[in-house]
Amino acid sequence: MTQKSVLIAAVAGSALLISGCEPPIGIETDQKGYRGLGLEQVQKRYLEERKRADMTIPAVQPPAASAGPRAGDIYQNVQVLGDLSIGEFNRLMNAITEWVSPEAGCNYCHVTGNFADDNIYTKVVSRRMLEMTKIINTDWNVHVADTGVTCYTCHMGEPVPQNIWFEDPGPRQAGGLAALRMGQNLASPNLASTSLPNDVFSAFFEDNPREIRVTPTTMLPEGSNPTNVMDAEWSYGLMIHMSTALGANCTTCHNTNNFPSWEHSPPQRVTAWHGIQMVRSLNVDFLNPLQPVYPDSQLGPLGDAPKANCATCHNGLQLPLDQAQMLADYPELNRVQVRGMNAAAPEAAPAYAPEPAPEGEEPSVIEPEAESEVSAATNANSAGS
C-alpha cells in the first residue's frame, strides 16, 4: 500500500469515528441555581424539535350531549362504556378510531356486520386498555398529573404503539462455560447498544423487580449492602433507557454534585420514581394477563405479551405529546367502568411523597392496586365496548 493510500485510509477512518460522536449543536445548559452546586439542566433541544415536528395532535371531536338514553341500554354487549349517553359513546368511539386505527377504521376492533361480537382479540384487548387508561388517570395522578393520558398518548395513530417490548433472549452465543454471561455484556438496541445487561425491562418492569442500586454505602459488598458492580450495571441499563425514552439528560432527575442524594435532586426524580412503579403495575395487572388473548403472531419470541416501558408513552419527549391536554377534551375516558359496578372499585394508588432515604438508597417500594376488567370499540349502531 502506498503512502498516499495509507493517508486516505487514515482520514476516512478518522471521519468515520468522528461521525459517530454526538455533535454539540443544539445541546444547551440552563443554570437553575448557584454555580458550583450542580444545579444545571442539560437540554438536547434539537431532539425535542425533531420530535415536535413529527407530531400531530388530532382535532377534537364535536361535543355531544350527556342527556338521553345510555349506550348500554341501546347497543348490545357494551360492557365498560354502557353508562355514557349515545352521543358521548359515539363521539368517544370516533375519537378512538382516529387515535388507534385511522386506516382500518371500526373493523380493526369489530366484526363486520356484528359489532357486538367479541370474537376478535383486538376488541377484548382494547376494552381492557380503556380500563387501564382510567386507572392511569385516576390512580397515578402523582405521575401523569392533570394532563393524564388518552389512547393517542401511546398509539399516535398506529394500531400497535411504536415502543413496546418483549422479553429479550439476547443474541445466540456459545455453549459451555462461554455461555455463563449472566445477561451481561450483550449489546442491545434497547440500551443504546451498550454492553450492559440486555433485558433490563424484565428486571425492573415486571413482578419481583431488582432493586435500583448504584452507589454502595459500604466499602465492600456485604452486610446490609450486598450490591456490587454487576448490580450497578443493571441500574445503569435502566437509566440509559429512561434517558433515551424521555430525550433527557441525567441532570433532569439528578444533581451532579451528589447523584444518589434525594434531598438534592430535582423534583422530576420523584415523578420518575412513580413512573417506574406505574409501568410495573400496568405490566403486571393489565398487559401480562392479556397473553392468552393474543394470537401467536402478536407475542414475543419467548411467547410473552407486549408490554410497556417509559418510551411507550414518552416517545422521546420529557412530557408525552409535548404536554397536549387531550384528556380535558374527553372526560368520558375517566367514566369507564363495568356496568352495574360502583365506581368505588379500585383502591387509590399511593399518594406518595418520598420518605427521606439514606444516601444511596431509594424509598421503599409501594405497590398500588389496580383493578377490574373489560371493554372498547367503535362507532355505529349495534354494538359496543
Side-chain angles (χ1 to χ4, degrees):
M1 184 179 289
T2 64
Q3 211 169 18
K4 186 176 179 183
S5 299
V6 171
L7 182 61
I8 293 174
V11 171
S14 301
L16 189 63
L17 286 173
I18 293 172
S19 67
C21 300
E22 189 173 40
I25 302 169
I27 299 179
E28 299 177 12
T29 302
D30 296 334
Q31 193 68 34
K32 298 293 185 182
Y34 293 114
R35 294 188 180 279
L37 299 178
L39 298 175
E40 62 268 336
Q41 285 288 334
V42 179
Q43 311 276 1
K44 298 181 179 179
R45 303 211 188 281
Y46 72 100
L47 286 179
E48 296 173 357
E49 289 166 7
R50 193 184 302 163
K51 284 288 178 184
R52 290 188 183 105
D54 295 338
M55 191 171 62
T56 304
I57 304 299
V60 180
Q61 293 284 327
S66 59
R70 303 294 95 181
D73 296 330
I74 303 299
Y75 300 146
Q76 299 173 29
N77 195 21
V78 180
Q79 297 186 26
V80 297
L81 296 175
D83 289 334
L84 303 185
S85 71
I86 297 294
E88 292 172 325
F89 178 82
N90 286 330
R91 175 179 185 266
L92 185 58
M93 290 298 99
N94 286 333
I96 291 175
T97 303
E98 186 176 12
W99 295 340
V100 175
S101 59
E103 293 186 8
C106 309
N107 292 333
Y108 181 69
C109 290
H110 290 282
V111 174
T112 306
N114 183 6
F115 279 18
D117 192 346
D118 273 350
N119 193 27
I120 178 170
Y121 82 93
T122 46
K123 183 178 180 184
V124 179
V125 171
S126 58
R127 189 179 281 158
R128 189 67 174 144
M129 292 302 95
L130 279 173
E131 292 185 299
M132 185 178 80
T133 300
K134 179 192 174 184
I135 291 296
I136 294 172
N137 291 328
T138 56
D139 286 8
W140 290 100
N141 189 266
V142 285
H143 184 69
V144 301
D146 293 336
T147 300
V149 298
T150 68
C151 313
Y152 193 74
T153 306
C154 297
H155 284 269
M156 297 184 71
E158 299 289 337
V160 178
Q162 184 177 4
N163 293 301
I164 56 174
W165 65 274
F166 300 98
E167 293 174 13
D168 183 1
R172 297 183 65 183
Q173 53 187 313
L177 291 176
L180 299 177
R181 305 179 70 165
M182 307 293 286
Q184 304 283 118
N185 303 320
L186 298 171
S188 165
N190 292 330
L191 307 174
S193 295
T194 56
S195 290
L196 293 170
N198 62 298
D199 191 13
V200 295
F201 302 148
S202 296
F204 294 107
F205 292 146
E206 295 241 54
D207 224 351
N208 303 314
R210 298 177 73 97
E211 285 191 285
I212 304 172
R213 291 287 182 270
V214 175
T215 307
T217 54
T218 59
M219 292 296 290
L220 297 174
E222 57 187 5
S224 60
N225 180 35
T227 52
N228 53 33
V229 173
M230 188 180 292
D231 296 307
E233 288 188 342
W234 283 92
S235 299
Y236 282 137
L238 175 64
M239 294 299 109
I240 286 177
H241 160 67
M242 295 178 73
S243 177
T244 306
L246 277 67
N249 187 273
C250 309
T251 57
T252 302
C253 292
H254 294 274
N255 185 315
T256 54
N257 193 40
N258 189 345
F259 262 62
S261 169
W262 282 89
E263 184 181 1
H264 297 96
S265 296
Q268 285 87 344
R269 186 177 178 187
V270 175
T271 305
W273 184 89
H274 282 295
I276 295 171
Q277 315 307 313
M278 182 187 79
V279 169
R280 185 178 300 150
S281 169
L282 301 182
N283 287 330
V284 171
D285 295 333
F286 290 91
L287 300 174
N288 276 336
L290 284 171
Q291 194 272 350
V293 176
Y294 288 104
D296 290 345
S297 60
Q298 301 299 312
L299 301 176
L302 298 179
D304 58 313
K307 292 173 278 293
N309 56 27
C310 304
T312 310
C313 286
H314 284 270
N315 286 303
L317 285 171
Q318 188 173 334
L319 299 173
L321 298 180
D322 209 19
Q323 210 175 5
Q325 305 292 308
M326 292 183 68
L327 178 63
D329 294 318
Y330 297 94
E332 298 92 347
L333 285 171
N334 287 350
R335 290 165 56 196
V336 171
Q337 67 175 32
V338 178
R339 250 199 140 186
M341 290 184 69
N342 223 316
E347 267 183 42
Y352 148 81
E355 296 179 11
E359 288 287 291
E361 293 189 14
E362 284 73 31
S364 56
V365 174
I366 301 172
E367 292 295 349
E369 295 182 11
E371 278 346 291
S372 77
E373 74 161 272
V374 220
S375 190
T378 321
N379 194 345
N381 51 26
S382 58
S385 297

